[in-house]
Amino acid sequence: MGYFGGSYDVIVVGAGHAGSEAALAAARMGCETLLLTINLDMVAFMPCNPSIGGPAKGHVVREIDALGGEMGRNIDRTFIQMRMLNTGKGPAVHALRAQADKFDYQHVMKRTIEETEHLTLRQGMVEELIVEEGKCVGVITKTGAEYRSKTVVITTGTYMRGKIIMGELMYESGPNNQQPSVKLSQCLKELGFQLARFKTGTPPRVHGDTIDFSKTEIQPGDDKPQFFSYETESSNNEQLPCWLTYTSETTHQIISDNLHRAPMFSGMIEGTGPKYCPSIEDKIVRFADRPKHQIFLEPEGKNTSEYYVQGLSTSMPEDVQLNMLRSIPGLEKVEMMRTGYAIEYDAVVPTQLWPTLETKLVEGLFTAGQINGTSGYEEAGGQGIVAGINAARKAQGKSPVIIERSQGYIGVMIDDLVTKGTTEPYRLLTSRAEYRLLLRHDNADLRLTPIGYDIGLIKQDRYDRFLNKKALVEQEIERLKSAKIRAEEPVQSMLEEIGSAPLTGGCSALSLLLRPEVTYAHVERLAPAPYELTEEMKEQVEIQVKYSGYIEKQLQQVERMNKMEKKRIPDDIDYFDVHGLANEAKTNLSNIRPISIGQASRTAGVTPADISILLVYLEHYNRVTASRHAARG
């Protein structure tokens, strides 16, 4: 017989990267929040790569931070290497990546959760959702404990019906040999949810003392590290290097000779794996012409000898994995500490969600993270904070928050998921964002901090600092427009020094900064500001000036699209009543139930002609509805 465990505003199921963000957001917004996890020792655990960030993913971490989330602050406290990627390219693709001390990362996140007001962390496996009159009002755990709430967020990651696969070996398990969650998956099916079966994988871990680093290339962190959180000003963290090596022809031969033992080719794996993070056996088959593939050896923490073999994700049998490792330069005598494996799991088909991440089938039930078909800690964290915000606001009787595609990569990801769905584990890429020059790593605060402040996740002192930064950047750009640079000898000498054409007459500092080879540092030498600017502010000034033309064009595109996003579609429209719509459009629009014309235009199988017909229909529909209301009034 069970017992009543208590009542809460929000219950979050699962304490991985999505669940941690969801629970912290809801609690910080004043909701009494319960965070339930199968194992308290696995809070914010990194079962795969112990790193945060990279292209598009690093942007998401900055966005989480700009909204008032925790991931950026946590990695800034616990990194063992920080590196800015793509610095030779434009600012739209600059991406920060950190190697984490995986043990510090989870311990610091757990401590943050434990010390957060209004947040209760408890161990328990949720097996059943309590649904009354179409609303989710609580959960029941394996021990029979019943917890009631106004809203529930499910963030079960890869645990739902998790199955580990390694060569001929297969057994039920969550990641890292944790208990899987089996009954919750069945509960969702009984409620009418459509589930997909996905797969992800992880590489072997090896003992650092058995690596010959002299045969590898050192990959150090940046001398002057930048940070993910806008709150982090400095760090004393010691940086550890990563190391680069490559697979060899022998590696490829070992894999080819054992493909009959590879689960993904023998038919043992049902789930679809991620295209953008394939296993090494998949790479060897798909890219048979390539003689070698990059392998990064990455430390798992300061107080362990384990190294993560990035690039060698595999589900080959254990003996094959060891042979593969020892065929790689630098790893000839390596000792394998953990084998790589594939894990299959159930995911919710994400077109069953609103853009708020609330499910369409059950009111008050939200899902976030890998359960929605994504891959990666950052994608999970981005969904987690949005689901937590909206679960809290629903519990408080407030309107939801939707991040638009033009506001953040988080908005791009959620819109892609709920509008198009995904046939494989979804990974964020910069190419998925049509406005990527606006969605830069450097300006996440300018895009999203006002939202974080409005909903109560950004405190007043931080918001005041943000407003001051924004004002100073705008002030400096205005000053550069009027600051005159004369064609005098020191100016001409500097221009010659950097390979820039000499001035024929005077010009504004802003005009000079528009030259590709001229940086803000050059202009600052010639026309210094009468006030102090931080490095972050100077970077912002330079980017906004240099890319102003391109930014203006994208803003015009956003404005046009915003008109479509503002044209809301009523919930009760029957698309099969809309004469002239193609049958495919009727079916797909009925399934997705877009909230706006903008979302309808991105729905698969919906053509511009369908949108024109829908606009005409809506105009008529709104007139009829308005006249009915008037008649009733």
Side-chain angles (χ1 to χ4, degrees):
M1 201 53 191
Y3 74 97
F4 182 62
S7 290
Y8 296 86
D9 297 314
V10 178
I11 292 174
V12 179
V13 180
H17 302 280
S20 296
E21 293 294 348
L24 285 166
R28 287 167 174 167
M29 290 167 69
C31 287
E32 291 303 323
T33 304
L34 173 66
L35 176 56
L36 286 164
T37 178
I38 290 174
N39 185 347
L40 282 178
D41 299 329
M42 303 296 284
V43 171
F45 183 67
M46 295 177 158
C48 200
N49 196 336
S51 72
I52 294 287
K57 292 169 172 280
H59 293 63
V60 169
V61 182
R62 292 279 274 185
E63 290 175 3
I64 292 168
D65 185 74
L67 286 167
E70 196 60 32
M71 186 175 271
R73 284 190 286 246
N74 208 59
I75 187 61
D76 286 351
R77 294 185 189 113
T78 60
F79 73 89
I80 52 177
Q81 187 186 104
M82 192 73 81
R83 196 171 184 185
M84 184 66 80
L85 308 179
N86 299 331
T87 51
K89 299 177 182 176
V93 291
H94 288 181
L96 195 58
R97 183 182 185 272
Q99 200 67 26
D101 184 312
K102 69 186 292 179
F103 309 103
D104 274 2
Y105 187 92
Q106 68 180 110
H107 293 152
V108 172
M109 186 68 87
K110 181 170 181 267
R111 176 58 60 86
T112 300
I113 288 167
E114 289 170 342
E115 292 177 350
T116 296
E117 202 178 346
H118 306 298
L119 180 50
T120 302
L121 176 63
R122 192 162 295 165
Q123 188 163 291
M125 183 188 288
V126 171
E127 294 196 330
E128 194 179 330
L129 300 174
I130 304 168
V131 178
E132 295 172 357
E133 298 177 1
K135 293 181 181 179
C136 190
V137 293
V139 301
I140 299 172
T141 67
K142 189 173 187 172
T143 58
E146 179 183 311
Y147 299 96
R148 289 269 167 166
S149 62
K150 295 173 184 173
T151 56
V152 172
V153 185
I154 304 180
T155 66
T156 48
T158 60
Y159 280 79
M160 282 210 311
R161 272 200 330 124
K163 187 187 287 182
I164 295 278
I165 304 157
M166 189 195 309
E168 296 87 8
L169 177 67
M170 183 187 293
Y171 56 93
E172 285 192 346
S173 175
N176 217 54
N177 288 319
Q178 293 298 303
Q179 288 184 73
S181 169
V182 178
K183 290 194 175 176
L184 184 57
S185 195
Q186 189 57 39
C187 174
L188 289 170
K189 272 187 180 175
E190 287 168 3
L191 287 169
F193 285 96
Q194 187 185 348
L195 303 182
R197 192 77 175 153
F198 282 163
K199 171 200 87 90
T200 189
T202 190
R205 271 64 155 190
V206 298
H207 199 301
D209 293 350
T210 62
I211 299 170
D212 183 352
F213 291 109
S214 69
K215 295 182 180 178
T216 66
E217 300 170 36
I218 192 166
Q219 305 286 302
D222 293 340
D223 291 336
K224 191 179 175 187
Q226 296 185 49
F227 304 108
F228 280 103
S229 176
Y230 288 93
E231 293 187 2
T232 310
E233 293 178 358
S234 63
S235 170
N236 295 319
N237 291 19
E238 180 192 351
Q239 296 206 61
L240 302 181
C242 296
W243 306 84
L244 172 63
T245 182
Y246 296 86
T247 56
S248 65
E249 286 184 22
T250 309
T251 319
H252 297 201
Q253 193 59 53
I254 291 167
I255 293 167
S256 298
D257 291 347
N258 287 279
L259 280 178
H260 63 287
R261 300 179 68 195
M264 64 178 302
F265 295 108
S266 67
M268 281 179 74
I269 289 179
E270 312 164 43
T272 309
K275 180 165 58 177
Y276 297 103
C277 190
S279 67
I280 190 66
E281 48 266 42
D282 196 18
K283 285 184 200 173
I284 299 306
V285 172
R286 279 168 51 189
F287 309 109
D289 55 323
R290 291 194 42 191
K292 61 183 183 178
H293 295 275
Q294 285 187 330
I295 301 292
F296 288 95
L297 306 172
E298 302 174 337
E300 296 233 309
K302 301 185 295 289
N303 302 309
T304 177
S305 295
E306 278 190 83
Y307 271 72
Y308 181 91
V309 188
Q310 163 78 344
L312 207 75
S313 178
T314 183
S315 56
M316 282 287 201
E318 190 167 349
D319 59 305
V320 179
Q321 291 191 33
L322 185 58
N323 289 335
M324 283 160 47
L325 284 166
R326 290 182 174 174
S327 68
I328 293 168
L331 305 184
E332 293 87 351
K333 296 180 181 177
V334 84
E335 289 297 333
M336 182 165 66
M337 295 180 74
R338 302 183 202 230
T339 47
Y341 59 84
I343 183 166
E344 280 191 348
Y345 55 95
D346 284 349
V348 169
V349 174
T351 51
Q352 299 168 104
L353 308 172
W354 297 113
T356 59
L357 296 181
E358 185 177 15
T359 68
K360 295 171 183 174
L361 273 174
V362 178
E363 189 183 343
L365 179 64
F366 297 75
T367 59
Q370 283 185 272
I371 189 177
N372 288 344
T374 55
S375 66
Y377 313 138
E378 304 85 354
E379 287 91 338
Q383 293 170 73
I385 193 168
V386 169
I389 287 167
N390 284 322
R393 287 181 72 84
K394 190 172 187 78
Q396 293 167 339
K398 295 176 181 174
S399 58
V401 170
I402 295 172
I403 310 293
E404 303 290 349
R405 293 183 73 91
S406 58
Q407 290 177 307
Y409 275 92
I410 293 173
V412 171
M413 167 178 59
I414 292 174
D415 184 68
D416 280 351
L417 290 169
V418 305
T419 305
K420 301 170 188 170
T422 185
T423 54
E424 64 184 43
Y426 175 99
R427 179 181 179 173
L428 258 175
L429 306 163
T430 53
S431 58
R432 294 191 191 273
E434 59 272 46
Y435 308 122
R436 70 173 183 244
L437 190 53
L438 300 180
L439 309 182
R440 303 184 310 275
H441 173 273
D442 60 87
N443 71 346
D445 60 337
L446 296 172
R447 293 183 274 117
L448 296 174
T449 294
I451 296 174
Y453 176 70
D454 286 344
I455 59 179
L457 285 179
I458 296 288
K459 291 180 180 169
Q460 189 65 49
D461 61 336
R462 177 170 167 182
Y463 190 60
D464 290 342
R465 289 198 305 276
F466 160 75
L467 291 177
N468 181 56
K469 171 190 167 179
K470 189 168 179 280
L472 277 173
V473 168
E474 289 167 2
Q475 186 178 336
E476 179 61 359
I477 291 171
E478 285 304 310
R479 186 188 74 84
L480 292 178
K481 288 177 185 174
S482 55
K484 295 298 177 200
I485 307 290
R486 295 185 172 83
E488 295 169 345
E489 199 283 322
V491 175
Q492 306 293 33
S493 294
M494 192 196 78
L495 292 175
E496 185 181 356
E497 193 183 305
I498 62 173
S500 191
L503 290 180
T504 52
C507 72
S508 71
L510 189 127
S511 299
L512 195 62
L513 185 53
L514 284 168
R515 293 186 180 190
E517 64 282 358
V518 176
T519 66
Y520 179 83
H522 295 132
V523 171
E524 190 180 23
R525 272 166 57 189
L526 303 173
Y531 34 76
E532 196 172 330
L533 297 172
T534 65
E535 289 305 312
E536 208 176 1
M537 292 173 191
K538 292 172 186 178
E539 177 193 40
Q540 199 55 234
V541 168
E542 184 168 328
I543 290 170
Q544 288 192 27
V545 169
K546 282 193 179 295
Y547 295 89
S548 56
Y550 301 103
I551 291 169
E552 188 54 44
K553 280 180 187 169
Q554 288 219 330
L555 288 170
Q556 287 168 7
Q557 291 170 354
V558 169
E559 189 51 44
R560 284 195 294 274
M561 182 48 77
N562 278 348
K563 287 177 183 171
M564 303 269 273
E565 302 295 347
K566 284 173 185 167
K567 289 194 164 97
R568 295 284 160 167
I569 300 176
D571 288 346
D572 56 352
I573 276 193
D574 184 347
Y575 291 97
F576 289 95
D577 281 349
V578 184
H579 299 299
L581 273 185
N583 286 334
E584 186 183 8
K586 288 178 180 178
T587 302
N588 292 355
L589 289 169
S590 297
N591 288 338
I592 300 297
R593 289 158 67 197
I595 62 171
S596 68
I597 289 292
Q599 192 188 356
S601 71
R602 294 187 294 275
T603 302
V606 175
T607 66
D610 293 323
I611 293 297
S612 298
I613 290 163
L614 189 55
L615 281 167
V616 172
Y617 177 85
L618 278 178
E619 204 172 309
H620 171 72
Y621 177 94
N622 289 335
R623 271 205 311 270
V624 169
T625 306
S627 63
R628 279 181 191 153
H629 284 318
R632 283 195 200 111

